mmCIF file of all heavy atoms in Angstrom:
data_model
loop_
_atom_site.group_PDB
_atom_site.id
_atom_site.type_symbol
_atom_site.label_atom_id
_atom_site.label_comp_id
_atom_site.label_asym_id
_atom_site.label_seq_id
_atom_site.Cartn_x
_atom_site.Cartn_y
_atom_site.Cartn_z
ATOM 1 N N ALA A 163 15.530 -39.103 -55.974
ATOM 2 C CA ALA A 163 14.849 -40.162 -56.722
ATOM 3 C C ALA A 163 14.663 -41.375 -55.817
ATOM 4 O O ALA A 163 15.650 -42.005 -55.408
ATOM 5 C CB ALA A 163 15.645 -40.531 -57.970
ATOM 6 N N LEU A 164 13.405 -41.712 -55.516
ATOM 7 C CA LEU A 164 13.097 -42.821 -54.622
ATOM 8 C C LEU A 164 12.656 -44.049 -55.403
ATOM 9 O O LEU A 164 12.051 -43.950 -56.470
ATOM 10 C CB LEU A 164 11.978 -42.427 -53.655
ATOM 11 C CG LEU A 164 12.242 -41.243 -52.714
ATOM 12 C CD1 LEU A 164 11.011 -40.986 -51.857
ATOM 13 C CD2 LEU A 164 13.456 -41.496 -51.845
ATOM 14 N N ASN A 165 12.957 -45.207 -54.848
ATOM 15 C CA ASN A 165 12.512 -46.477 -55.412
ATOM 16 C C ASN A 165 11.342 -46.984 -54.573
ATOM 17 O O ASN A 165 11.510 -47.337 -53.410
ATOM 18 C CB ASN A 165 13.666 -47.484 -55.397
ATOM 19 C CG ASN A 165 13.265 -48.834 -55.974
ATOM 20 O OD1 ASN A 165 12.144 -49.005 -56.467
ATOM 21 N ND2 ASN A 165 14.171 -49.804 -55.915
ATOM 22 N N LEU A 166 10.158 -47.017 -55.171
ATOM 23 C CA LEU A 166 8.961 -47.481 -54.463
ATOM 24 C C LEU A 166 8.454 -48.801 -55.029
ATOM 25 O O LEU A 166 7.350 -49.236 -54.721
ATOM 26 C CB LEU A 166 7.853 -46.428 -54.558
ATOM 27 C CG LEU A 166 8.208 -45.031 -54.024
ATOM 28 C CD1 LEU A 166 7.037 -44.082 -54.230
ATOM 29 C CD2 LEU A 166 8.592 -45.085 -52.553
ATOM 30 N N ALA A 167 9.273 -49.443 -55.877
ATOM 31 C CA ALA A 167 8.838 -50.680 -56.535
ATOM 32 C C ALA A 167 8.594 -51.799 -55.524
ATOM 33 O O ALA A 167 7.714 -52.629 -55.711
ATOM 34 C CB ALA A 167 9.871 -51.116 -57.564
ATOM 35 N N ASP A 168 9.403 -51.813 -54.449
ATOM 36 C CA ASP A 168 9.255 -52.860 -53.431
ATOM 37 C C ASP A 168 9.414 -52.225 -52.062
ATOM 38 O O ASP A 168 10.472 -52.290 -51.440
ATOM 39 C CB ASP A 168 10.286 -53.976 -53.642
ATOM 40 C CG ASP A 168 10.035 -55.178 -52.733
ATOM 41 O OD1 ASP A 168 9.053 -55.133 -51.963
ATOM 42 O OD2 ASP A 168 10.815 -56.140 -52.792
ATOM 43 N N SER A 169 8.351 -51.573 -51.608
ATOM 44 C CA SER A 169 8.416 -50.839 -50.342
ATOM 45 C C SER A 169 8.564 -51.764 -49.137
ATOM 46 O O SER A 169 8.893 -51.313 -48.041
ATOM 47 C CB SER A 169 7.149 -49.977 -50.176
ATOM 48 O OG SER A 169 5.984 -50.788 -50.261
ATOM 49 N N ALA A 170 8.323 -53.057 -49.327
ATOM 50 C CA ALA A 170 8.464 -54.007 -48.221
ATOM 51 C C ALA A 170 9.909 -54.463 -48.039
ATOM 52 O O ALA A 170 10.249 -55.058 -47.018
ATOM 53 C CB ALA A 170 7.556 -55.216 -48.438
ATOM 54 N N ASP A 171 10.759 -54.204 -49.033
ATOM 55 C CA ASP A 171 12.155 -54.641 -48.973
ATOM 56 C C ASP A 171 12.956 -53.709 -48.059
ATOM 57 O O ASP A 171 12.989 -52.491 -48.266
ATOM 58 C CB ASP A 171 12.754 -54.637 -50.381
ATOM 59 C CG ASP A 171 14.199 -55.106 -50.371
ATOM 60 O OD1 ASP A 171 14.443 -56.275 -50.079
ATOM 61 O OD2 ASP A 171 15.079 -54.266 -50.653
ATOM 62 N N SER A 172 13.623 -54.276 -47.067
ATOM 63 C CA SER A 172 14.331 -53.459 -46.081
ATOM 64 C C SER A 172 15.502 -52.705 -46.702
ATOM 65 O O SER A 172 15.792 -51.575 -46.309
ATOM 66 C CB SER A 172 14.819 -54.330 -44.923
ATOM 67 O OG SER A 172 15.724 -55.325 -45.391
ATOM 68 N N ASP A 173 16.202 -53.323 -47.671
ATOM 69 C CA ASP A 173 17.321 -52.643 -48.325
ATOM 70 C C ASP A 173 16.839 -51.421 -49.115
ATOM 71 O O ASP A 173 17.500 -50.383 -49.129
ATOM 72 C CB ASP A 173 18.053 -53.608 -49.263
ATOM 73 C CG ASP A 173 18.878 -54.646 -48.507
ATOM 74 O OD1 ASP A 173 19.235 -54.369 -47.343
ATOM 75 O OD2 ASP A 173 19.141 -55.715 -49.071
ATOM 76 N N THR A 174 15.696 -51.558 -49.775
ATOM 77 C CA THR A 174 15.127 -50.434 -50.524
ATOM 78 C C THR A 174 14.736 -49.301 -49.587
ATOM 79 O O THR A 174 15.022 -48.129 -49.860
ATOM 80 C CB THR A 174 13.903 -50.888 -51.331
ATOM 81 O OG1 THR A 174 14.298 -51.900 -52.269
ATOM 82 C CG2 THR A 174 13.280 -49.723 -52.088
ATOM 83 N N ARG A 175 14.095 -49.643 -48.481
ATOM 84 C CA ARG A 175 13.699 -48.607 -47.508
ATOM 85 C C ARG A 175 14.922 -47.916 -46.929
ATOM 86 O O ARG A 175 14.933 -46.694 -46.738
ATOM 87 C CB ARG A 175 12.857 -49.228 -46.380
ATOM 88 C CG ARG A 175 11.513 -49.778 -46.828
ATOM 89 C CD ARG A 175 10.554 -49.911 -45.645
ATOM 90 N NE ARG A 175 11.162 -50.635 -44.536
ATOM 91 C CZ ARG A 175 11.089 -51.959 -44.396
ATOM 92 N NH1 ARG A 175 10.447 -52.682 -45.289
ATOM 93 N NH2 ARG A 175 11.649 -52.542 -43.351
ATOM 94 N N PHE A 176 15.952 -48.696 -46.649
ATOM 95 C CA PHE A 176 17.179 -48.133 -46.087
ATOM 96 C C PHE A 176 17.854 -47.187 -47.074
ATOM 97 O O PHE A 176 18.334 -46.117 -46.701
ATOM 98 C CB PHE A 176 18.125 -49.265 -45.687
ATOM 99 C CG PHE A 176 19.399 -48.804 -45.035
ATOM 100 C CD1 PHE A 176 19.373 -47.947 -43.946
ATOM 101 C CD2 PHE A 176 20.632 -49.240 -45.505
ATOM 102 C CE1 PHE A 176 20.561 -47.525 -43.346
ATOM 103 C CE2 PHE A 176 21.813 -48.820 -44.915
ATOM 104 C CZ PHE A 176 21.776 -47.957 -43.829
ATOM 105 N N MET A 177 17.892 -47.573 -48.361
ATOM 106 C CA MET A 177 18.472 -46.704 -49.375
ATOM 107 C C MET A 177 17.685 -45.402 -49.507
ATOM 108 O O MET A 177 18.267 -44.313 -49.580
ATOM 109 C CB MET A 177 18.520 -47.418 -50.723
ATOM 110 C CG MET A 177 18.999 -46.536 -51.878
ATOM 111 S SD MET A 177 20.699 -45.917 -51.678
ATOM 112 C CE MET A 177 21.627 -47.373 -52.174
ATOM 113 N N ASN A 178 16.355 -45.496 -49.534
ATOM 114 C CA ASN A 178 15.535 -44.289 -49.627
ATOM 115 C C ASN A 178 15.803 -43.345 -48.455
ATOM 116 O O ASN A 178 15.875 -42.121 -48.624
ATOM 117 C CB ASN A 178 14.049 -44.657 -49.653
ATOM 118 C CG ASN A 178 13.619 -45.266 -50.972
ATOM 119 O OD1 ASN A 178 14.278 -45.086 -51.999
ATOM 120 N ND2 ASN A 178 12.505 -45.984 -50.969
ATOM 121 N N LEU A 179 15.964 -43.918 -47.268
ATOM 122 C CA LEU A 179 16.241 -43.100 -46.087
ATOM 123 C C LEU A 179 17.617 -42.457 -46.169
ATOM 124 O O LEU A 179 17.794 -41.278 -45.826
ATOM 125 C CB LEU A 179 16.123 -43.963 -44.822
ATOM 126 C CG LEU A 179 16.235 -43.211 -43.490
ATOM 127 C CD1 LEU A 179 15.148 -42.145 -43.376
ATOM 128 C CD2 LEU A 179 16.155 -44.186 -42.323
ATOM 129 N N ARG A 180 18.613 -43.202 -46.635
ATOM 130 C CA ARG A 180 19.969 -42.646 -46.790
ATOM 131 C C ARG A 180 19.973 -41.490 -47.794
ATOM 132 O O ARG A 180 20.625 -40.465 -47.579
ATOM 133 C CB ARG A 180 20.947 -43.725 -47.238
ATOM 134 C CG ARG A 180 21.295 -44.765 -46.188
ATOM 135 C CD ARG A 180 22.199 -45.837 -46.777
ATOM 136 N NE ARG A 180 23.440 -45.270 -47.285
ATOM 137 C CZ ARG A 180 24.081 -45.704 -48.366
ATOM 138 N NH1 ARG A 180 23.578 -46.698 -49.081
ATOM 139 N NH2 ARG A 180 25.201 -45.148 -48.757
ATOM 140 N N LEU A 181 19.249 -41.671 -48.894
ATOM 141 C CA LEU A 181 19.159 -40.603 -49.893
ATOM 142 C C LEU A 181 18.544 -39.353 -49.280
ATOM 143 O O LEU A 181 19.046 -38.235 -49.485
ATOM 144 C CB LEU A 181 18.311 -41.075 -51.085
ATOM 145 C CG LEU A 181 18.946 -42.134 -51.987
ATOM 146 C CD1 LEU A 181 17.906 -42.720 -52.927
ATOM 147 C CD2 LEU A 181 20.111 -41.546 -52.787
ATOM 148 N N LEU A 182 17.481 -39.520 -48.512
ATOM 149 C CA LEU A 182 16.843 -38.367 -47.897
ATOM 150 C C LEU A 182 17.762 -37.689 -46.894
ATOM 151 O O LEU A 182 17.845 -36.454 -46.855
ATOM 152 C CB LEU A 182 15.543 -38.790 -47.211
ATOM 153 C CG LEU A 182 14.799 -37.647 -46.503
ATOM 154 C CD1 LEU A 182 14.317 -36.606 -47.511
ATOM 155 C CD2 LEU A 182 13.635 -38.175 -45.677
ATOM 156 N N PHE A 236 5.762 -41.274 -47.104
ATOM 157 C CA PHE A 236 7.193 -41.103 -46.822
ATOM 158 C C PHE A 236 7.501 -39.629 -46.565
ATOM 159 O O PHE A 236 8.208 -39.282 -45.613
ATOM 160 C CB PHE A 236 8.010 -41.619 -48.012
ATOM 161 C CG PHE A 236 9.503 -41.551 -47.816
ATOM 162 C CD1 PHE A 236 10.193 -42.588 -47.219
ATOM 163 C CD2 PHE A 236 10.223 -40.444 -48.252
ATOM 164 C CE1 PHE A 236 11.572 -42.528 -47.041
ATOM 165 C CE2 PHE A 236 11.601 -40.373 -48.082
ATOM 166 C CZ PHE A 236 12.278 -41.427 -47.463
ATOM 167 N N ILE A 272 20.490 -40.198 -56.167
ATOM 168 C CA ILE A 272 19.958 -41.470 -56.640
ATOM 169 C C ILE A 272 20.760 -42.616 -56.040
ATOM 170 O O ILE A 272 21.957 -42.471 -55.766
ATOM 171 C CB ILE A 272 19.976 -41.515 -58.187
ATOM 172 C CG1 ILE A 272 19.239 -42.747 -58.728
ATOM 173 C CG2 ILE A 272 21.403 -41.469 -58.729
ATOM 174 C CD1 ILE A 272 19.000 -42.699 -60.222
ATOM 175 N N GLY A 273 20.110 -43.741 -55.852
ATOM 176 C CA GLY A 273 20.777 -44.913 -55.308
ATOM 177 C C GLY A 273 21.319 -45.800 -56.413
ATOM 178 O O GLY A 273 20.808 -45.804 -57.538
ATOM 179 N N HIS A 274 22.361 -46.550 -56.079
ATOM 180 C CA HIS A 274 23.055 -47.408 -57.044
ATOM 181 C C HIS A 274 23.034 -48.836 -56.518
ATOM 182 O O HIS A 274 23.466 -49.099 -55.400
ATOM 183 C CB HIS A 274 24.495 -46.925 -57.192
ATOM 184 C CG HIS A 274 25.255 -47.554 -58.322
ATOM 185 N ND1 HIS A 274 25.439 -48.907 -58.435
ATOM 186 C CD2 HIS A 274 25.889 -47.000 -59.395
ATOM 187 C CE1 HIS A 274 26.158 -49.164 -59.525
ATOM 188 N NE2 HIS A 274 26.436 -48.028 -60.119
ATOM 189 N N THR A 275 22.521 -49.777 -57.330
ATOM 190 C CA THR A 275 22.431 -51.163 -56.883
ATOM 191 C C THR A 275 23.747 -51.903 -57.012
ATOM 192 O O THR A 275 23.896 -53.005 -56.497
ATOM 193 C CB THR A 275 21.370 -51.926 -57.700
ATOM 194 O OG1 THR A 275 21.745 -51.898 -59.084
ATOM 195 C CG2 THR A 275 20.000 -51.277 -57.532
ATOM 196 N N LEU A 303 24.604 -42.819 -54.159
ATOM 197 C CA LEU A 303 24.888 -43.624 -52.979
ATOM 198 C C LEU A 303 24.855 -45.082 -53.381
ATOM 199 O O LEU A 303 23.871 -45.559 -53.977
ATOM 200 C CB LEU A 303 23.847 -43.374 -51.882
ATOM 201 C CG LEU A 303 24.113 -42.197 -50.936
ATOM 202 C CD1 LEU A 303 24.055 -40.878 -51.687
ATOM 203 C CD2 LEU A 303 23.093 -42.192 -49.805
ATOM 204 N N LYS A 304 25.932 -45.777 -53.091
ATOM 205 C CA LYS A 304 26.011 -47.202 -53.406
ATOM 206 C C LYS A 304 25.334 -48.017 -52.320
ATOM 207 O O LYS A 304 25.355 -47.664 -51.140
ATOM 208 C CB LYS A 304 27.484 -47.609 -53.530
ATOM 209 C CG LYS A 304 27.675 -49.066 -53.926
ATOM 210 C CD LYS A 304 29.180 -49.402 -53.987
ATOM 211 C CE LYS A 304 29.385 -50.884 -54.282
ATOM 212 N NZ LYS A 304 30.811 -51.240 -54.304
ATOM 213 N N LYS A 305 24.711 -49.094 -52.748
ATOM 214 C CA LYS A 305 24.067 -49.989 -51.801
ATOM 215 C C LYS A 305 25.083 -50.541 -50.805
ATOM 216 O O LYS A 305 26.153 -50.996 -51.183
ATOM 217 C CB LYS A 305 23.404 -51.162 -52.554
ATOM 218 C CG LYS A 305 22.709 -52.170 -51.650
ATOM 219 C CD LYS A 305 22.106 -53.283 -52.487
ATOM 220 C CE LYS A 305 21.495 -54.354 -51.607
ATOM 221 N NZ LYS A 305 20.895 -55.460 -52.407
ATOM 222 N N ILE A 306 24.742 -50.470 -49.519
ATOM 223 C CA ILE A 306 25.612 -50.982 -48.458
ATOM 224 C C ILE A 306 25.019 -52.286 -47.932
ATOM 225 O O ILE A 306 23.863 -52.305 -47.481
ATOM 226 C CB ILE A 306 25.741 -49.970 -47.304
ATOM 227 C CG1 ILE A 306 26.375 -48.680 -47.789
ATOM 228 C CG2 ILE A 306 26.549 -50.563 -46.156
ATOM 229 C CD1 ILE A 306 26.453 -47.609 -46.726
ATOM 230 N N PRO A 307 25.775 -53.391 -47.983
ATOM 231 C CA PRO A 307 25.267 -54.653 -47.453
ATOM 232 C C PRO A 307 24.931 -54.502 -45.968
ATOM 233 O O PRO A 307 25.735 -53.997 -45.175
ATOM 234 C CB PRO A 307 26.423 -55.639 -47.656
ATOM 235 C CG PRO A 307 27.256 -55.016 -48.740
ATOM 236 C CD PRO A 307 27.133 -53.531 -48.545
ATOM 237 N N ARG A 308 23.738 -54.934 -45.596
ATOM 238 C CA ARG A 308 23.312 -54.835 -44.194
ATOM 239 C C ARG A 308 23.549 -56.157 -43.493
ATOM 240 O O ARG A 308 23.250 -57.232 -44.007
ATOM 241 C CB ARG A 308 21.836 -54.453 -44.123
ATOM 242 C CG ARG A 308 21.531 -53.130 -44.821
ATOM 243 C CD ARG A 308 20.104 -52.703 -44.569
ATOM 244 N NE ARG A 308 19.897 -52.333 -43.200
ATOM 245 C CZ ARG A 308 18.685 -52.031 -42.692
ATOM 246 N NH1 ARG A 308 17.622 -52.085 -43.437
ATOM 247 N NH2 ARG A 308 18.575 -51.684 -41.429
ATOM 248 N N LYS A 309 24.111 -56.047 -42.305
ATOM 249 C CA LYS A 309 24.412 -57.259 -41.531
ATOM 250 C C LYS A 309 23.186 -57.720 -40.763
ATOM 251 O O LYS A 309 22.388 -56.932 -40.320
ATOM 252 C CB LYS A 309 25.579 -56.973 -40.561
ATOM 253 C CG LYS A 309 26.868 -56.595 -41.283
ATOM 254 C CD LYS A 309 27.973 -56.303 -40.281
ATOM 255 C CE LYS A 309 29.262 -55.914 -40.989
ATOM 256 N NZ LYS A 309 30.359 -55.647 -40.019
#
Side-chain angles (χ1 to χ4, degrees):
L164 299 179
N165 180 5
L166 303 178
D168 188 1
S169 56
D171 181 67
S172 61
D173 287 337
T174 299
R175 295 200 309 270
F176 183 53
M177 175 62 79
N178 287 339
L179 186 59
R180 289 176 60 216
L181 289 168
L182 179 65
F236 182 88
I272 188 169
H274 190 302
T275 60
L303 273 66
K304 183 182 176 182
K305 179 181 176 180
I306 298 176
R308 302 188 69 186
K309 298 179 180 181

